[in-house]
Amino acid sequence: MNASLQRKLSLALLGTIAGVALVAGVLSFAAAYDEAQELQDDVLRQVATLTQGRGTNAAVPALADTHFADHDDASRLYVQVLGQDNPRSLTIDQGGPLPVPVTTPDGLHTMMLSGESFRVLVKTSAGGMRIVVAQEADFRDDIAQGSALRTVLPFAVLVPILLFVVVSLVRRMFRPVVRLAEAIDRRGEGDLQPIADHNLPAEVRPFVRAINRLLGRVAQTLDGQRRFVADAAHELRSPLTALSLQAERLQQAPMSELARERLAVLRQGIERGRALLEQLLSLARAQQRAEPPAAGVSMQAVFRRVLQDLLPLAEARQIDVGVAGEGDARVPASELDLLTLVKNLVDNAIRYTPAGGRVDLSVESRPEGVLLRIQDSGPGIAPAERERVFDPFYRTPGNEQAGSGLGLAIVQAIAQRLGARVSLDDADPAVPAGLLVRVLLPAHGEAPLR
């Protein structure tokens, strides 16, 4: 499994910093520990030198028991003349002399004396007197370890902070790339605008520019396909119009009933072909970008024009169609786009609603945009089919209504270009029955939704 570059870089930096800090800490601890031990050995040497300067009597340890009862024995320095016995035969804990062998050579030694470890310095003065200066090794080790730990303490405090800062910096450096991925992910499938690269790291810009070139080639290919569809549909309009006129003239001629029946079927086929061409032209126009007008388009005005065009169809099918409420909103979009979008939705609602049903249109201004609602009392669309009905030429199983399957594809194409969102739901979730179409359009003066 491939990990992300950010994760790999973070782990590599964390591992490197932690490894270097560990090695540096061990070396610093060892150096500080040896330095502390050396300093304590120097103390023993200095005490021996001072003792030699004060004479023989000064080398004999104090024999008062109370002195050792009130002080920490571990920190005591033992100073004595090698080979000199304590007349009171006191133990070491009571202030007696250390049992250092008289054969001990001059210099520093670590010895076990009376069951305890001592650091012992033996030194012979110019007059031949051998001085012993000693201290418990455990006490010296504790002091050396404490000194070494204080040396390593900054590593223990600063390294975790450094690791946190490194992870934060890596995340911050990759944040433009993450924002770029989120921006591309929010784009609609028809949004082929170039990706802005001015805020991206220099290492990522060649990749983004390559993607922009690819988007440009894809846009050119799609534009060529759209022009082909539009040109083909436009070229086919004239022959179909001529066929329709010839069929009308032929209907006026005397003919048998069988011929009239077949002529009626022919005219229906010609009308379906003309309707398909008109929808293909509408789909081609919907997929082409157009600059929105400076002033927003009134949705109530769009509703009125759509109802004027479709009212005869609604009356013929005995459908009650109208606008619910008097609220209005202005949308920064082409009036033709909005007319085409609403007309296709209302036309579908009228065609699929049984006789005696109703179709309601409404508009509502919201903080996130302008919400259009087209609700009918028809059979609705099954949840499993609500994604596929936006595909061109797709028709739901069991659909007996005449049509080309391009209505909702045109609606989706216009919505994507306007930055709108289309959703389908049950008009009455309790039954469920009917179809509720919601179209969330960007409000006037706002940037298109992505």
Side-chain angles (χ1 to χ4, degrees):
M1 183 177 65
N2 294 327
S4 67
L5 181 61
Q6 176 179 340
R7 182 181 179 86
K8 287 183 177 179
L9 181 59
S10 298
L11 291 178
L13 290 174
L14 292 179
T16 302
I17 293 173
V20 171
L22 179 62
V23 173
V26 171
L27 294 178
S28 298
F29 181 88
Y33 185 85
D34 291 341
E35 183 69 21
Q37 291 282 14
E38 184 64 28
L39 288 175
Q40 293 183 91
D41 288 341
D42 288 340
V43 171
L44 297 182
R45 295 188 185 97
Q46 293 172 10
V47 172
T49 301
L50 292 173
T51 304
Q52 287 178 350
R54 296 178 60 186
T56 304
N57 294 332
V60 180
L63 302 178
D65 297 349
T66 56
H67 171 79
F68 299 100
D70 298 335
H71 292 76
D72 185 7
D73 292 347
S75 62
R76 186 194 319 166
L77 279 176
Y78 294 84
V79 182
Q80 64 187 51
V81 176
L82 185 61
Q84 186 181 74
D85 295 330
N86 191 327
R88 296 181 59 182
S89 300
L90 298 176
T91 64
I92 294 176
D93 294 337
Q94 295 173 327
L98 296 176
V100 180
V102 295
T103 59
T104 303
D106 287 0
L108 288 165
H109 310 277
T110 301
M111 299 180 176
M112 291 297 296
L113 303 175
S114 300
E116 296 185 27
S117 178
F118 284 86
R119 185 68 169 171
V120 178
L121 172 65
V122 179
K123 187 173 183 181
T124 303
S125 65
M129 182 178 62
R130 305 190 71 195
I131 302 298
V132 175
V133 182
Q135 191 175 29
E136 290 187 17
D138 292 342
F139 175 73
R140 290 163 50 89
D141 292 343
D142 291 341
I143 292 178
Q145 289 176 3
S147 178
L149 288 175
R150 284 191 293 272
T151 304
V152 179
L153 183 61
F155 286 93
V157 175
L158 295 178
V159 168
I161 297 176
L162 179 60
L163 296 178
F164 175 78
V165 171
V166 167
V167 173
S168 300
L169 287 176
V170 171
R171 289 180 179 175
R172 184 175 180 180
M173 293 170 62
F174 277 86
R175 194 171 300 163
V177 180
V178 174
R179 286 198 295 263
L180 173 64
E182 293 174 349
I184 295 177
D185 190 55
R186 289 194 300 266
R187 285 191 173 196
E189 60 185 17
D191 188 356
L192 300 177
Q193 291 297 312
I195 303 169
D197 62 355
H198 56 276
N199 289 328
L200 295 176
E203 293 79 6
V204 183
R205 288 179 187 173
F207 178 70
V208 173
R209 289 168 183 167
I211 292 179
N212 286 337
R213 290 192 292 270
L214 175 62
L215 291 176
R217 294 192 294 270
V218 172
Q220 290 178 356
T221 302
L222 292 178
D223 287 341
Q225 293 177 353
R226 292 164 187 161
R227 283 195 300 270
F228 173 79
V229 172
D231 294 342
H234 183 74
E235 291 298 324
L236 288 173
R237 291 176 72 182
S238 298
L240 283 177
T241 302
L243 284 174
S244 179
L245 291 174
Q246 293 296 332
E248 288 181 5
R249 292 176 183 177
L250 182 61
Q251 190 177 14
Q252 298 174 0
M255 63 183 68
S256 65
E257 289 298 324
L258 179 59
R260 288 189 180 277
E261 291 178 358
R262 293 181 177 177
L263 178 61
V265 174
L266 175 63
R267 293 190 63 186
Q268 289 178 358
I270 294 173
E271 289 302 319
R272 284 197 298 269
R274 290 182 63 184
L276 175 60
L277 287 177
E278 291 297 331
Q279 286 199 313
L280 283 173
L281 286 172
S282 297
L283 179 60
R285 286 193 297 266
Q287 292 175 337
Q288 295 175 356
R289 293 192 173 273
E291 292 296 328
V297 178
S298 169
M299 290 308 306
Q300 285 290 347
V302 172
F303 287 167
R304 286 194 295 269
R305 290 191 56 181
V306 170
L307 293 181
Q308 288 174 1
D309 294 340
L310 297 180
L311 191 58
L313 176 62
E315 291 177 347
R317 298 181 59 85
Q318 300 178 354
I319 303 298
D320 180 14
V321 57
V323 179
E326 299 180 356
D328 196 7
R330 304 189 73 84
V331 178
S334 168
E335 184 177 12
L336 179 60
D337 286 342
L338 295 176
L339 283 170
T340 305
L341 184 146
V342 176
K343 187 174 181 179
N344 276 277
L345 291 175
V346 176
D347 181 78
N348 274 0
I350 293 174
R351 292 182 183 276
Y352 289 94
T353 299
R358 61 180 298 154
V359 177
D360 294 325
L361 290 72
S362 64
V363 60
E364 178 185 354
S365 293
R366 293 189 174 185
E368 62 271 22
V370 176
L371 180 65
L372 306 184
R373 293 164 54 96
I374 293 88
Q375 180 174 330
D376 63 60
S377 57
I381 299 176
E385 301 290 328
R386 289 174 186 171
E387 290 293 332
R388 296 203 60 191
V389 293
F390 291 104
D391 296 338
F393 304 107
Y394 179 79
R395 307 192 66 192
T396 55
N399 185 0
E400 299 179 355
Q401 291 294 328
S404 60
L406 287 175
L408 290 178
I410 295 172
V411 170
Q412 184 76 324
I414 296 175
Q416 288 177 351
R417 196 177 73 227
L418 298 180
R421 293 195 293 267
V422 183
S423 62
L424 307 179
D425 203 352
D426 296 320
D428 185 2
V431 178
L435 182 66
L436 173 61
V437 182
R438 297 185 180 91
V439 183
L440 184 62
L441 294 156
H444 179 59
E446 296 180 357
L449 300 174
R450 294 296 184 194

